[in-house]
């Protein structure tokens, strides 16, 4: 039985593991990760540290980060990363994760490995987040509740001065004239179409399409599309924080930028679309309005289920 090296808090119990296989083969990595999770759960149960979930996807400002194990201790939640092979690649991954946490917060990384990763100094760091998809799954139905594109977090907060407005504004600018193709990108990820051309203007000429999905971290989202208002995201107001809302929109923006590079759309001349014109005029009206945040919620887009 082997004791694992870790930078966990000193009062945490030591983790000893048996049956570990040192291999980078996908099936072996999956088996090692399962072995680590079950071992940690057994050891931590006696110390009052609760294992929350395994194989978690967490949103960050730089994309989606996969976390092997999340636990809750007396002083909060931690993200556990397991490295069966303690080499430069493992050290580089953990250093990158640690720097991500230091830069943006939201994660508290702790490593477990067969050697001390902090004694290994990697020459280069690779990206540890993914931004090539949204990590959404289609849901049979939307959980009951109020969904909105935005809502105030503090008294007096105004939509058109919020970070959420800036993100939506950048999204509307990015997909101006390409709204249908951007929505097709989502349909492709959900497996609802196999090719982009399957979704055309003749498919839903005058109607609004609504698709309930589960976003990263299990948050319910309603994705809607119409010719007049374009592509919109409505977040469950009781289950999505303002931070999550902005992080998801930022992820979509990152996805759009990589998609536009892949498809070489920069040379295509575009006219302002009806959706972009609606958005631009909405922003102008809200800036001139003295109405409350509730009015902005309704004007921007609110759905009740």
């Amino acid at each position: 039985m082997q004791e694992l090296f870790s930078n966990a808090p000193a009062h945490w119990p030591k983790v000893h593991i048996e049956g570990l296989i040192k291999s980078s083969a996908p099936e072996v990595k999956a088996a090692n990760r399962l072995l680590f999770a079950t071992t940690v759960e057994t050891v931590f149960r006696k110390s009052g540290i609760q294992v929350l979930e395994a194989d978690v996807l967490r949103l960050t400002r730089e994309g989606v980060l996969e976390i092997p194990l999340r636990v809750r201790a007396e002083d909060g939640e931690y993200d556990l990363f397991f490295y069966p092979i303690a080499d430069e690649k493992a050290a580089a991954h953990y250093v990158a994760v640690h720097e991500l946490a230091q830069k943006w917060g939201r994660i508290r990384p702790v490593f477990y490995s067969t050697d001390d990763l902090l004694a290994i100094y990697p020459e280069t760091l690779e990206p540890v987040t993914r931004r090539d998809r949204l990590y959404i799954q289609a849901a049979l139905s939307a959980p009951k509740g109020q969904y909105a594109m935005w809502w105030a977090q503090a008294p007096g907060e105004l939509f058109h001065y919020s970070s959420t407005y800036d993100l939506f504004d950048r999204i509307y600018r990015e997909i101006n004239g390409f709204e249908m193709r951007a929505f097709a990108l989502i349909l492709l990820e959900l497996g609802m179409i196999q090719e982009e051309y399957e979704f055309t203007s003749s498919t839903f000429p005058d109607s609004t399409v609504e698709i309930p999905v589960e976003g990263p971290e299990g948050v319910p989202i309603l994705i809607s599309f119409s010719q007049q208002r374009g592509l919109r995201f409505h977040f469950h107001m009781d289950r999505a924080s303002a931070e999550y809302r902005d992080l998801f929109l930022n992820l979509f923006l990152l996805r759009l930028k990589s998609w536009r590079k892949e498809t070489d759309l920069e040379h295509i001349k575009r006219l302002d679309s009806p959706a972009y014109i609606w958005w631009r005029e909405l922003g102008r009206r809200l800036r001139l309005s003295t109405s409350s945040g509730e009015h902005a919620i309704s004007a921007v887009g609110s759905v009740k289920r």
Side-chain angles (χ1 to χ4, degrees), residues 40-72:
V40 166
E41 186 171 20
T42 301
V43 172
F44 282 10
R45 189 183 302 135
K46 302 173 184 177
S47 63
I49 301 174
Q50 179 187 2
V51 173
L52 298 176
E53 50 188 341
D55 298 327
V56 188
L57 297 175
R58 292 282 284 176
L59 282 172
T60 75
R61 284 285 297 274
E62 297 180 19
V64 173
L65 177 66
E66 184 177 352
I67 299 170
L69 206 62
R70 298 202 80 226
V71 302
R72 180 184 290 123

Side-chain angles (χ1 to χ4, degrees), residues 216-269:
E217 303 178 28
V219 173
I221 303 171
L222 272 176
I223 301 176
S224 70
F225 175 81
S226 70
Q227 298 275 22
Q228 295 303 313
R229 297 195 174 187
L231 176 59
R232 296 183 294 165
F233 298 96
H234 311 265
F235 301 88
H236 196 291
M237 293 176 63
D238 292 332
R239 294 176 59 180
S241 64
E243 179 186 39
Y244 180 94
R245 182 182 66 205
D246 284 1
L247 286 172
F248 184 87
L249 294 175
N250 181 69
L251 174 64
F252 183 57
L253 194 58
L254 293 173
R255 177 70 185 99
L256 283 176
K257 288 184 175 180
S258 62
W259 168 68
R260 288 190 59 172
K261 281 185 179 179
E262 294 164 5
T263 50
D264 191 26
L265 299 175
E266 303 304 323
H267 66 284
I268 300 177
K269 292 183 178 180

Side-chain angles (χ1 to χ4, degrees), residues 3-57:
E3 180 180 328
L4 296 178
F5 287 80
S6 178
N7 62 341
H11 64 279
W12 283 21
K14 302 296 182 182
V15 175
H16 297 80
I17 200 165
E18 187 175 16
L20 196 63
I21 302 173
K22 291 188 177 182
S23 171
S24 297
E27 61 274 13
V28 174
K29 289 173 69 175
N32 282 337
R33 184 175 287 195
L34 178 61
L35 177 63
F36 172 70
T38 54
T39 302
V40 166
E41 186 171 20
T42 301
V43 172
F44 282 10
R45 189 183 302 135
K46 302 173 184 177
S47 63
I49 301 174
Q50 179 187 2
V51 173
L52 298 176
E53 50 188 341
D55 298 327
V56 188
L57 297 175

Side-chain angles (χ1 to χ4, degrees), residues 96-110:
V97 168
H98 185 266
E99 289 186 355
L100 186 70
Q102 292 290 101
K103 189 175 182 181
W104 303 114
R106 208 163 191 263
I107 54 174
R108 297 175 73 184
V110 170

